[in-house]
Amino acid sequence: MKLELDVYSTICETKRFVINGIQATYRDFGEKQDVSMDRTQPFCCGNMVFLPSLPTQQVLEKYGITKKEYHYICEMLRSCVSFGTCKLCG
Protein backbone atom coordinates (compact mmCIF):
# COMPACT_ATOMS: atom_id res chain seq x y z
CA MET A 1 0.00 0.00 0.00
CA LYS A 2 1.17 3.50 -0.78
CA LEU A 3 -0.08 6.07 1.73
CA GLU A 4 0.41 9.82 1.49
CA LEU A 5 -0.95 11.64 4.53
CA ASP A 6 -0.20 15.20 5.49
CA VAL A 7 -2.21 17.46 7.78
CA TYR A 8 -2.31 21.18 8.31
CA SER A 9 -0.30 22.35 11.30
CA THR A 10 -3.10 24.40 12.83
CA ILE A 11 -6.37 22.62 12.03
CA CYS A 12 -7.71 19.10 12.35
CA GLU A 13 -7.97 18.45 8.61
CA THR A 14 -5.99 16.50 6.06
CA LYS A 15 -3.93 18.53 3.61
CA ARG A 16 -2.98 15.58 1.40
CA PHE A 17 -4.53 12.13 1.78
CA VAL A 18 -3.89 9.66 -1.03
CA ILE A 19 -4.07 5.87 -0.84
CA ASN A 20 -2.66 3.82 -3.72
CA GLY A 21 -2.96 6.84 -6.00
CA ILE A 22 -6.61 7.52 -5.07
CA GLN A 23 -7.61 10.81 -3.43
CA ALA A 24 -9.01 9.78 -0.04
CA THR A 25 -11.33 11.25 2.55
CA TYR A 26 -11.11 10.59 6.28
CA ARG A 27 -14.89 10.10 6.25
CA ASP A 28 -14.35 6.68 4.64
CA PHE A 29 -12.49 5.64 7.80
CA GLY A 30 -14.43 7.33 10.59
CA GLU A 31 -15.40 10.74 11.84
CA LYS A 32 -14.01 13.69 13.76
CA GLN A 33 -15.90 14.63 16.87
CA ASP A 34 -15.47 17.01 19.75
CA VAL A 35 -15.88 14.69 22.73
CA SER A 36 -15.69 17.52 25.29
CA MET A 37 -17.86 20.26 23.88
CA ASP A 38 -18.83 21.30 27.40
CA ARG A 39 -15.23 22.33 28.21
CA THR A 40 -14.90 25.23 25.79
CA GLN A 41 -16.40 28.35 24.22
CA PRO A 42 -18.74 28.39 21.20
CA PHE A 43 -17.03 27.51 17.90
CA CYS A 44 -14.00 26.09 19.74
CA CYS A 45 -13.07 22.47 20.42
CA GLY A 46 -12.77 20.98 23.89
CA ASN A 47 -11.23 17.73 22.64
CA MET A 48 -11.39 17.01 18.90
CA VAL A 49 -10.64 13.35 18.14
CA PHE A 50 -10.81 11.01 15.18
CA LEU A 51 -13.12 8.07 15.86
CA PRO A 52 -12.48 5.14 13.49
CA SER A 53 -15.34 3.10 12.08
CA LEU A 54 -15.32 -0.56 11.12
CA PRO A 55 -14.05 -1.34 7.62
CA THR A 56 -16.54 -2.00 4.86
CA GLN A 57 -15.89 -4.07 1.78
CA GLN A 58 -16.75 -1.03 -0.34
CA VAL A 59 -13.96 1.07 1.25
CA LEU A 60 -11.43 -1.79 1.10
CA GLU A 61 -12.13 -2.24 -2.61
CA LYS A 62 -12.21 1.51 -3.33
CA TYR A 63 -8.62 1.94 -2.10
CA GLY A 64 -7.34 -1.60 -2.81
CA ILE A 65 -6.39 -2.23 0.82
CA THR A 66 -6.64 -5.03 3.37
CA LYS A 67 -8.35 -4.86 6.76
CA LYS A 68 -4.92 -4.66 8.39
CA GLU A 69 -4.01 -1.68 6.16
CA TYR A 70 -7.40 -0.10 6.93
CA HIS A 71 -6.69 -0.26 10.66
CA TYR A 72 -3.19 1.15 10.11
CA ILE A 73 -4.69 4.11 8.22
CA CYS A 74 -7.17 4.64 11.07
CA GLU A 75 -4.31 4.75 13.58
CA MET A 76 -2.45 7.26 11.41
CA LEU A 77 -5.57 9.43 11.18
CA ARG A 78 -6.15 9.13 14.91
CA SER A 79 -2.61 10.29 15.62
CA CYS A 80 -2.62 13.29 13.29
CA VAL A 81 -6.24 14.44 12.93
CA SER A 82 -7.10 14.25 16.64
CA PHE A 83 -6.34 17.72 17.88
CA GLY A 84 -7.43 18.07 21.49
CA THR A 85 -8.36 21.57 22.64
CA CYS A 86 -8.39 24.27 19.99
CA LYS A 87 -9.68 27.83 19.71
CA LEU A 88 -8.71 28.47 16.11
CA CYS A 89 -12.31 28.53 14.81
CA GLY A 90 -13.56 30.66 17.73
Side-chain angles (χ1 to χ4, degrees), residues 31-71:
E31 63 181 29
K32 295 183 301 185
Q33 184 176 30
D34 186 354
V35 296
S36 296
M37 291 174 59
D38 58 325
R39 290 182 14 195
T40 191
Q41 303 165 4
F43 306 108
C44 300
C45 295
N47 186 16
M48 180 62 73
V49 296
F50 177 76
L51 302 169
S53 58
L54 294 174
T56 65
Q57 192 61 35
Q58 180 181 4
V59 171
L60 298 176
E61 290 175 4
K62 177 179 179 178
Y63 298 109
I65 57 175
T66 66
K67 286 182 181 180
K68 185 176 181 178
E69 291 169 330
Y70 178 95
H71 291 297

Side-chain angles (χ1 to χ4, degrees), residues 1-3 19-20 63-66 68-70 72-73:
M1 169 186 69
K2 182 176 180 191
L3 174 63
I19 304 167
N20 293 329
Y63 298 109
I65 57 175
T66 66
K68 185 176 181 178
E69 291 169 330
Y70 178 95
Y72 173 77
I73 292 166

